[in-house]
Amino acid sequence: MLQKANAFMKQANLIDGAWVDADSGATIDVINPANGQKLGTVPKSGKAETARAIDAAHKAFQTFRKTTANERSKMLRKLHDVIMDNQLALAELLTLEQGKSMAESKGEIAFSAAYVLWFAEEARRTYGDVVPSPWADRRVIVTREPVGPIAAITPWNFPSSMLARKIGPAIAAGCTSVVKPASQTPYSGLAWGALAEEAGIPKGVINVVTGSASEIGDELCYNPLIKKITFTGSTEVGKMLMEKAAKTVKKVSMELGGNAPFLVFDDADIDRAVEGAIAAKYRNSGQTCVCTNRFFVQAGVHDEFVEKLAKASNNLKVGPGTEDGVQQGPLIDEKAVEKVEEFIADATANGGKVVTGGHRHALGGSFFEPTVISGATPKMKFMKEEIFGPLAPVFRFEKEEEAVALANDTEFGLACYFYTSDLGRAFRVMEGLKYGMVGVNEGIITTPEAPFGGVKESGLGREGGHQGIEDYLDTKYVCIGGLGL
Ligand code: ADP
């Protein structure tokens, strides 16, 4: 199995078109979360290697910025084809280092390719304006230009597709990149370097460094040659990067934490809601920023929903992602398991009832049973904090306004979901929820065509949609005078 993935399993950093080790020769071990075994190593790079990667991106930008939109569009289409030609190998690599099921990994790789294709198309639509001039002898033109070399820092939960949303628009806009993948899942990030080479993307356009997050992060933030930071990860780290990026007034895009509510009203189609709930809760074993964190269910359908959700949760097949039919892989590490246990202990100590699951899985390691808790209350920890695991807490509510107020009672505002068959209520609730993305009678809503992103402390900027390229472009106003007209 590893053999097929090997072509993309790069154990070196890509800087200026060369695969290199850390200057010190130091490495970080990469562990398979399904069995705790070492898959290999990656370089433990720091400030010096990052500075060289930035220089390479800066140098490459001087020519890359002059390529035509059509040329970049073709590069991205080629990149899309290379990804899809190697979907299985890339998916295997992803499952080995991240743990998710092969079905989800194949889906993520196809999703990465879909983002790249979307931005291949958007590359040719970065229109400017010709504005009616207030002067008879001058003309007013507005153009769009690439911001320059960008830095991308990504997490371990979607190590491939989170980069697709950043590398795709960067190339489309004419920007070069320095990428830092998460240390738990560096191979899917380094694979973008290998894919770019195979797609014929010029050297220095994509550079990938792995290693000390704070050293690499500081250099990316403080180095004036980097013009934009795009980050997906925790709110805590995102805030810190924003502060550091302020020193050189870089553009920032931030995809941070979520605390997604999932509301089920009395008039909802309960079976459909349960199906959506399973998808919105347990995707990637609950380790996504748009995973449902809190279920709010109206009194009239509460018991039926809890019973059906518990049954469906219990039916999920847990196991190593490489095994056929597995739906729930391991959590990323022991810390993640301990965190889920803490949420359960806190809930039960405050009167919550475990309806199904509640324990580490018999498979051991970082496997955990899909868990449903009823009797959830706003005093419990998951009201405010992101669970990031396979735990579904259910709150009971009576009135629509009460549910909307509870749903909004968080500093986060990424995704939310609700189920109803009443059209008036659908608009009322949709307009009342302070979130960047809303699923109405749908539990999975992400797609390259739509703008993904949050409000409040969930972040800044949008990825995907026609908005997804905006942050990679500067606006330039040109006034042409003395025309003698
Ligand atoms: P998670 O909880 O999902 O691991 P993090 O925000 O800790 O979220 O990690 C997301 C990404 O941010 C990873 O690539 C990680 O290495 C990186 N990161 C963590 N700390 C820092 C830091 N101090 N500076 C820059 N990047 C960091």
Side-chain angles (χ1 to χ4, degrees), residues 187-223:
Y187 293 131
S188 298
L190 289 162
W192 280 96
L195 291 164
E197 282 183 327
E198 212 164 312
I201 292 168
K203 75 171 185 167
V205 170
I206 296 178
N207 303 274
V208 191
V209 285
T210 54
S212 160
S214 56
E215 267 193 53
I216 297 171
D218 282 2
E219 184 61 23
L220 294 174
C221 287
Y222 295 135
N223 191 314

Side-chain angles (χ1 to χ4, degrees), residues 122-174:
E122 288 302 288
R124 304 201 299 154
R125 315 206 202 298
T126 57
Y127 305 121
D129 293 307
V130 178
V131 182
S133 174
W135 304 286
D137 66 340
R138 300 186 216 171
R139 290 296 177 263
V140 173
I141 296 172
V142 180
T143 63
R144 316 299 308 278
E145 293 184 345
V147 295
I150 65 119
I153 301 178
T154 49
W156 50 261
N157 61 344
F158 288 93
S160 174
S161 64
M162 292 302 109
L163 275 172
R165 293 172 175 187
K166 301 179 190 312
I167 288 173
I171 291 179

Side-chain angles (χ1 to χ4, degrees), residues 276-402:
I278 291 289
K281 175 69 247 180
Y282 295 111
R283 184 162 177 226
N284 201 14
S285 301
Q287 304 172 111
T288 89
C289 50
V290 294
C291 273
T292 300
N293 214 53
R294 301 165 296 156
F295 288 92
F296 298 101
V297 186
Q298 205 161 13
V301 293
H302 174 273
D303 294 355
E304 181 190 353
F305 179 83
V306 169
E307 191 194 321
K308 288 183 168 169
L309 178 66
K311 192 162 169 235
S313 303
N314 197 36
N315 281 343
L316 291 169
K317 185 170 174 200
V318 181
T322 44
E323 265 178 29
D324 273 355
V326 160
Q327 294 160 297
Q328 292 282 284
L331 299 193
I332 189 72
D333 54 24
E334 169 64 22
K335 241 173 50 199
V337 176
E338 286 168 11
K339 217 174 123 197
V340 175
E341 285 180 324
E342 274 171 38
F343 280 110
I344 295 173
D346 167 72
T348 51
N350 285 289
K353 181 177 159 235
V354 174
V355 188
T356 188
H359 304 102
R360 287 169 186 254
H361 197 276
L363 286 168
S366 61
F367 290 95
F368 205 88
E369 295 173 345
T371 300
V372 176
I373 287 190
S374 66
T377 70
K379 274 200 306 226
M380 297 173 182
K381 270 171 74 157
F382 39 58
M383 180 66 193
K384 298 278 178 202
E385 287 176 42
E386 209 172 10
I387 300 169
F388 241 62
L391 163 61
V394 186
F395 299 65
R396 179 198 291 263
F397 73 89
E398 302 285 339
K399 293 211 159 64
E400 181 184 306
E401 311 84 76
E402 178 197 347

Side-chain angles (χ1 to χ4, degrees), residues 13-16 45-60 148-154 163 166-167 170 175-181 189 204-210 216-217 219-221 223 225-231 472:
N13 285 175
L14 182 62
I15 299 177
D16 204 12
S45 293
K47 182 176 163 48
E49 297 87 339
T50 307
R52 282 204 295 280
I54 294 171
D55 285 341
H58 175 69
K59 194 173 71 190
I150 65 119
I153 301 178
T154 49
L163 275 172
K166 301 179 190 312
I167 288 173
C175 299
T176 54
S177 319
V178 179
V179 168
K180 192 209 88 64
V205 170
I206 296 178
N207 303 274
V208 191
V209 285
T210 54
I216 297 171
E219 184 61 23
L220 294 174
C221 287
N223 191 314
L225 295 178
I226 291 288
K227 302 302 177 197
K228 170 194 166 64
I229 304 260
T230 170
F231 172 74
Y472 295 81

